[in-house]
Amino acid sequence: MQFSELNIIQPILKAIEEEGYTTPTPIQEQAIPLVLAGNDLMGCAQTGTGKTAAFSIPIIQLLSKNKEYKGKRKIRALIVTPTRELAIQIGDSLKAYGRHAGLASTVIFGGVNQNKQTGVLQQGVDILVATPGRLLDLMMQGFISIRDVEIFVLDEADRMLDMGFIHDVNKLIKALPDERQNLFFSATMAPEILKLAGTILKDPVRVEVTPVSSTAEIIQQSLYFVDKGNKNALLVDVLSEQPATSVLVFTRTKHGADKVVKHLMKHGIKSDAIHGNKSQNNRQRALSNFKDKTIRVLVATDIAARGIDVEEMELVINFELPNISETYVHRIGRTGRAGNKGTAISFCDYEEKAYLKDIEKLIHTTIPVVEGHPYPMEVFVIEKKEQRGARPPRNQGAQTKKPRPTTEQKVDAAKKKGKKTWFGKRDRY
Ligand code: AMP
């Protein structure tokens, strides 16, 4: 399928060609004709599938067909997305795909002074991309009216709910005109997402691509069992072996991200962290240093990483496994985009084995384990000794008939006493 077969107008086709896109992605193939035909859309797709173009292209086309009006431009398409990074990316995409279409668009988000944003808004825009908080704020101050919106997009609805934006979204919906086209995107379709969709969409057509549990199949994954205290050393080791020039490392906490960066810098690996405690300027600087390869490693928490869109991401490392298994799929989905090959490496310590179990259940895959690395879990060393007959001294000459505790029992007992724990190799979980 070619873009030209999707009834896209010439100015947009030209821009798509200039972007270097040759064929539409599956979500674009499905969604573009449906949106052009005026349908409400429920899109089950995550970042990396090309969903931004799937809604941006038909929006530009629909608005540019009917742009003969007098006076100041009114906001006719509103795209609401959870993070500033995503908002900026969508804004960039709209500018790119719409560069020959003669429409005006702008992006607003919180955490920065509003004057520049209100200045642009006062000149009039056709398309507004916004995060919910700043949007409501500027509406309250009278800088924005959304009464003329013809197309409303709610992007990454699942994350919107995760981040606690439900009340803001409900307020926005009330302020929109009843007569409008709605496009709703979410990577997952949990019951609360469907409930929200029900309050927004009218007779939607549903499109679904790469369900969250199958995305992982196109990415080469591997797993290192490693004690928590050795993860930093292992990371340096893995980075010295891997040829990747852009590496995204995930931690669960902001503090953890900073610690990893400190360790990497100490070992001469250029890196920076991106997380919620960093100022907007710091985050943008880290991201642009990463994009132009001034730094090799970007260490991110999940929330901060949501908007990161870096092409040619070769390697994702889960320094810590996420406690929500779908997050694993989102994380590794940062690599292997748009047909590029990608690698995802995960470090798993004892405490994380339950997370690993959930992840493998979700992706229907047993992640291959890397054996023989320099920082094996303590248990592997002990087990090997046991196999060779060199049992720990406390077990030697045991006279009692009581059966020896299993590895799992030993681990649980040690955990209860707050001791350092270890577990058996055969007992993956
Ligand atoms: P998205 O899922 O919208 O975040 O897009 C993921 C990445 O794929 C972005 O970097 C886009 O520039 C790129 N992309 C979107 N559509 C296409 C396409 N048809 N061909 C090649 N790359 C694309």
Side-chain angles (χ1 to χ4, degrees), residues 3 19-25 28 46-53 89 97 309 311 337-338:
F3 278 106
E19 279 303 288
Y21 300 174
T22 48
T23 48
T25 65
Q28 292 162 3
Q46 63 186 81
T47 303
T49 54
K51 74 175 160 62
T52 312
Q89 276 160 33
Y97 310 139
D309 175 27
E311 304 205 18
R337 282 190 178 186

mmCIF file of all heavy atoms in Angstrom, residues 3 19-25 28 46-53 89 97 309 311 337-338, ligand 1:
data_model
loop_
_atom_site.group_PDB
_atom_site.id
_atom_site.type_symbol
_atom_site.label_atom_id
_atom_site.label_comp_id
_atom_site.label_asym_id
_atom_site.label_seq_id
_atom_site.Cartn_x
_atom_site.Cartn_y
_atom_site.Cartn_z
ATOM 1 N N PHE A 3 0.980 5.681 0.226
ATOM 2 C CA PHE A 3 0.217 6.797 0.788
ATOM 3 C C PHE A 3 -0.757 7.352 -0.252
ATOM 4 O O PHE A 3 -1.868 7.767 0.075
ATOM 5 C CB PHE A 3 1.153 7.902 1.282
ATOM 6 C CG PHE A 3 1.715 7.640 2.657
ATOM 7 C CD1 PHE A 3 3.035 7.244 2.816
ATOM 8 C CD2 PHE A 3 0.925 7.792 3.786
ATOM 9 C CE1 PHE A 3 3.545 7.005 4.080
ATOM 10 C CE2 PHE A 3 1.429 7.554 5.053
ATOM 11 C CZ PHE A 3 2.753 7.154 5.206
ATOM 12 N N GLU A 19 9.498 13.761 4.365
ATOM 13 C CA GLU A 19 9.840 13.127 5.638
ATOM 14 C C GLU A 19 10.583 11.811 5.429
ATOM 15 O O GLU A 19 11.130 11.237 6.357
ATOM 16 C CB GLU A 19 8.566 12.831 6.447
ATOM 17 C CG GLU A 19 8.004 14.015 7.199
ATOM 18 C CD GLU A 19 9.007 14.620 8.156
ATOM 19 O OE1 GLU A 19 9.298 14.001 9.179
ATOM 20 O OE2 GLU A 19 9.505 15.725 7.863
ATOM 21 N N GLY A 20 10.513 11.305 4.187
ATOM 22 C CA GLY A 20 11.201 10.050 3.869
ATOM 23 C C GLY A 20 10.357 8.811 4.122
ATOM 24 O O GLY A 20 10.871 7.694 4.116
ATOM 25 N N TYR A 21 9.060 8.978 4.353
ATOM 26 C CA TYR A 21 8.205 7.811 4.552
ATOM 27 C C TYR A 21 7.851 7.230 3.187
ATOM 28 O O TYR A 21 7.439 7.966 2.294
ATOM 29 C CB TYR A 21 6.887 8.178 5.258
ATOM 30 C CG TYR A 21 7.005 8.805 6.625
ATOM 31 C CD1 TYR A 21 5.861 9.279 7.267
ATOM 32 C CD2 TYR A 21 8.221 8.910 7.277
ATOM 33 C CE1 TYR A 21 5.933 9.864 8.526
ATOM 34 C CE2 TYR A 21 8.304 9.497 8.538
ATOM 35 C CZ TYR A 21 7.163 9.979 9.147
ATOM 36 O OH TYR A 21 7.235 10.557 10.386
ATOM 37 N N THR A 22 7.984 5.951 3.035
ATOM 38 C CA THR A 22 7.648 5.339 1.753
ATOM 39 C C THR A 22 6.277 4.665 1.800
ATOM 40 O O THR A 22 5.471 4.839 0.893
ATOM 41 C CB THR A 22 8.721 4.316 1.326
ATOM 42 O OG1 THR A 22 8.979 3.488 2.451
ATOM 43 C CG2 THR A 22 9.999 5.001 0.881
ATOM 44 N N THR A 23 6.026 3.910 2.866
ATOM 45 C CA THR A 23 4.729 3.234 2.967
ATOM 46 C C THR A 23 4.068 3.542 4.311
ATOM 47 O O THR A 23 4.761 3.750 5.315
ATOM 48 C CB THR A 23 4.896 1.690 2.884
ATOM 49 O OG1 THR A 23 5.949 1.334 3.786
ATOM 50 C CG2 THR A 23 5.239 1.229 1.492
ATOM 51 N N PRO A 24 2.729 3.555 4.317
ATOM 52 C CA PRO A 24 2.055 3.798 5.597
ATOM 53 C C PRO A 24 2.232 2.623 6.555
ATOM 54 O O PRO A 24 2.351 1.469 6.117
ATOM 55 C CB PRO A 24 0.583 3.963 5.210
ATOM 56 C CG PRO A 24 0.453 3.532 3.806
ATOM 57 C CD PRO A 24 1.812 3.408 3.188
ATOM 58 N N THR A 25 2.244 2.898 7.839
ATOM 59 C CA THR A 25 2.286 1.822 8.838
ATOM 60 C C THR A 25 0.855 1.252 8.956
ATOM 61 O O THR A 25 -0.103 1.895 8.501
ATOM 62 C CB THR A 25 2.739 2.357 10.212
ATOM 63 O OG1 THR A 25 1.740 3.262 10.689
ATOM 64 C CG2 THR A 25 4.074 3.060 10.127
ATOM 65 N N GLN A 28 -1.762 3.598 10.204
ATOM 66 C CA GLN A 28 -2.040 4.679 9.238
ATOM 67 C C GLN A 28 -2.942 4.167 8.118
ATOM 68 O O GLN A 28 -3.898 4.834 7.718
ATOM 69 C CB GLN A 28 -0.724 5.229 8.672
ATOM 70 C CG GLN A 28 0.080 5.977 9.730
ATOM 71 C CD GLN A 28 1.539 6.169 9.383
ATOM 72 O OE1 GLN A 28 2.004 5.800 8.298
ATOM 73 N NE2 GLN A 28 2.296 6.729 10.315
ATOM 74 N N GLN A 46 0.128 1.866 20.453
ATOM 75 C CA GLN A 46 1.055 2.555 21.332
ATOM 76 C C GLN A 46 2.057 3.375 20.537
ATOM 77 O O GLN A 46 2.128 3.256 19.314
ATOM 78 C CB GLN A 46 1.769 1.559 22.230
ATOM 79 C CG GLN A 46 2.626 0.573 21.479
ATOM 80 C CD GLN A 46 3.179 -0.461 22.434
ATOM 81 O OE1 GLN A 46 2.527 -1.419 22.794
ATOM 82 N NE2 GLN A 46 4.403 -0.257 22.840
ATOM 83 N N THR A 47 2.812 4.189 21.248
ATOM 84 C CA THR A 47 3.845 4.991 20.605
ATOM 85 C C THR A 47 4.791 4.062 19.845
ATOM 86 O O THR A 47 5.095 2.983 20.318
ATOM 87 C CB THR A 47 4.637 5.762 21.697
ATOM 88 O OG1 THR A 47 3.698 6.528 22.423
ATOM 89 C CG2 THR A 47 5.662 6.680 21.084
ATOM 90 N N GLY A 48 5.213 4.503 18.674
ATOM 91 C CA GLY A 48 6.110 3.670 17.882
ATOM 92 C C GLY A 48 5.405 3.006 16.716
ATOM 93 O O GLY A 48 6.043 2.434 15.834
ATOM 94 N N THR A 49 4.088 3.077 16.693
ATOM 95 C CA THR A 49 3.330 2.440 15.618
ATOM 96 C C THR A 49 3.055 3.419 14.475
ATOM 97 O O THR A 49 2.517 3.032 13.447
ATOM 98 C CB THR A 49 1.965 1.940 16.138
ATOM 99 O OG1 THR A 49 1.297 3.044 16.769
ATOM 100 C CG2 THR A 49 2.117 0.816 17.140
ATOM 101 N N GLY A 50 3.386 4.673 14.676
ATOM 102 C CA GLY A 50 3.088 5.698 13.663
ATOM 103 C C GLY A 50 1.717 6.314 13.885
ATOM 104 O O GLY A 50 1.127 6.896 12.987
ATOM 105 N N LYS A 51 1.225 6.248 15.115
ATOM 106 C CA LYS A 51 -0.144 6.735 15.368
ATOM 107 C C LYS A 51 -0.257 8.254 15.251
ATOM 108 O O LYS A 51 -1.312 8.766 14.911
ATOM 109 C CB LYS A 51 -0.667 6.237 16.712
ATOM 110 C CG LYS A 51 -0.071 6.919 17.912
ATOM 111 C CD LYS A 51 -0.755 6.425 19.170
ATOM 112 C CE LYS A 51 0.083 6.671 20.399
ATOM 113 N NZ LYS A 51 0.375 8.064 20.720
ATOM 114 N N THR A 52 0.840 8.970 15.518
ATOM 115 C CA THR A 52 0.757 10.433 15.425
ATOM 116 C C THR A 52 0.383 10.848 13.997
ATOM 117 O O THR A 52 -0.508 11.679 13.796
ATOM 118 C CB THR A 52 2.105 11.080 15.828
ATOM 119 O OG1 THR A 52 2.522 10.476 17.043
ATOM 120 C CG2 THR A 52 1.971 12.572 16.006
ATOM 121 N N ALA A 53 1.059 10.244 13.029
ATOM 122 C CA ALA A 53 0.724 10.566 11.633
ATOM 123 C C ALA A 53 -0.669 10.043 11.289
ATOM 124 O O ALA A 53 -1.383 10.649 10.485
ATOM 125 C CB ALA A 53 1.761 9.952 10.695
ATOM 126 N N GLN A 89 6.414 16.635 20.429
ATOM 127 C CA GLN A 89 6.582 15.764 19.254
ATOM 128 C C GLN A 89 5.399 15.830 18.298
ATOM 129 O O GLN A 89 5.560 15.844 17.086
ATOM 130 C CB GLN A 89 6.748 14.313 19.701
ATOM 131 C CG GLN A 89 8.163 13.991 20.073
ATOM 132 C CD GLN A 89 8.228 12.779 20.948
ATOM 133 O OE1 GLN A 89 7.405 11.869 20.804
ATOM 134 N NE2 GLN A 89 9.168 12.746 21.845
ATOM 135 N N TYR A 97 4.111 17.431 8.587
ATOM 136 C CA TYR A 97 3.141 16.912 7.604
ATOM 137 C C TYR A 97 2.314 18.038 6.984
ATOM 138 O O TYR A 97 1.773 17.899 5.895
ATOM 139 C CB TYR A 97 2.185 15.891 8.235
ATOM 140 C CG TYR A 97 2.865 14.787 9.023
ATOM 141 C CD1 TYR A 97 2.351 14.344 10.244
ATOM 142 C CD2 TYR A 97 4.031 14.182 8.557
ATOM 143 C CE1 TYR A 97 2.973 13.353 10.979
ATOM 144 C CE2 TYR A 97 4.668 13.188 9.294
ATOM 145 C CZ TYR A 97 4.136 12.789 10.501
ATOM 146 O OH TYR A 97 4.767 11.808 11.236
ATOM 147 N N ASP A 309 11.010 10.342 21.865
ATOM 148 C CA ASP A 309 10.916 9.733 20.545
ATOM 149 C C ASP A 309 12.242 9.963 19.850
ATOM 150 O O ASP A 309 12.512 11.024 19.333
ATOM 151 C CB ASP A 309 9.779 10.381 19.758
ATOM 152 C CG ASP A 309 9.737 9.848 18.337
ATOM 153 O OD1 ASP A 309 10.179 8.704 18.125
ATOM 154 O OD2 ASP A 309 9.279 10.576 17.454
ATOM 155 N N GLU A 311 14.716 8.429 17.006
ATOM 156 C CA GLU A 311 14.797 7.438 15.937
ATOM 157 C C GLU A 311 16.093 6.652 16.114
ATOM 158 O O GLU A 311 17.028 7.111 16.762
ATOM 159 C CB GLU A 311 14.737 8.150 14.596
ATOM 160 C CG GLU A 311 13.474 8.988 14.558
ATOM 161 C CD GLU A 311 12.975 9.265 13.161
ATOM 162 O OE1 GLU A 311 13.371 8.562 12.238
ATOM 163 O OE2 GLU A 311 12.179 10.203 13.045
ATOM 164 N N ARG A 337 11.733 0.355 16.364
ATOM 165 C CA ARG A 337 10.616 1.107 15.789
ATOM 166 C C ARG A 337 10.654 1.128 14.274
ATOM 167 O O ARG A 337 11.727 1.089 13.691
ATOM 168 C CB ARG A 337 10.677 2.545 16.259
ATOM 169 C CG ARG A 337 10.174 2.672 17.655
ATOM 170 C CD ARG A 337 10.032 4.103 17.977
ATOM 171 N NE ARG A 337 9.491 4.214 19.311
ATOM 172 C CZ ARG A 337 9.134 5.343 19.844
ATOM 173 N NH1 ARG A 337 9.226 6.454 19.168
ATOM 174 N NH2 ARG A 337 8.647 5.362 21.055
ATOM 175 N N ALA A 338 9.474 1.282 13.708
ATOM 176 C CA ALA A 338 9.322 1.457 12.262
ATOM 177 C C ALA A 338 10.251 0.521 11.492
ATOM 178 O O ALA A 338 10.930 0.908 10.554
ATOM 179 C CB ALA A 338 9.581 2.925 11.884
HETATM 180 P P1 AMP B 1 4.639 7.473 16.599
HETATM 181 O O1 AMP B 1 4.074 6.124 16.865
HETATM 182 O O2 AMP B 1 3.622 8.396 16.055
HETATM 183 O O3 AMP B 1 5.333 8.023 17.817
HETATM 184 O O4 AMP B 1 5.757 7.344 15.439
HETATM 185 C C1 AMP B 1 6.929 6.599 15.630
HETATM 186 C C2 AMP B 1 8.032 6.980 14.669
HETATM 187 O O5 AMP B 1 7.775 6.450 13.368
HETATM 188 C C3 AMP B 1 8.207 8.488 14.473
HETATM 189 O O6 AMP B 1 9.593 8.750 14.588
HETATM 190 C C4 AMP B 1 7.721 8.767 13.079
HETATM 191 O O7 AMP B 1 8.465 9.821 12.496
HETATM 192 C C5 AMP B 1 7.964 7.454 12.362
HETATM 193 N N1 AMP B 1 6.963 7.168 11.305
HETATM 194 C C6 AMP B 1 5.631 7.388 11.348
HETATM 195 N N2 AMP B 1 5.037 6.959 10.219
HETATM 196 C C7 AMP B 1 6.010 6.438 9.440
HETATM 197 C C8 AMP B 1 6.010 5.822 8.148
HETATM 198 N N3 AMP B 1 4.899 5.648 7.442
HETATM 199 N N4 AMP B 1 7.199 5.424 7.654
HETATM 200 C C9 AMP B 1 8.344 5.589 8.380
HETATM 201 N N5 AMP B 1 8.409 6.149 9.595
HETATM 202 C C10 AMP B 1 7.248 6.568 10.133
#
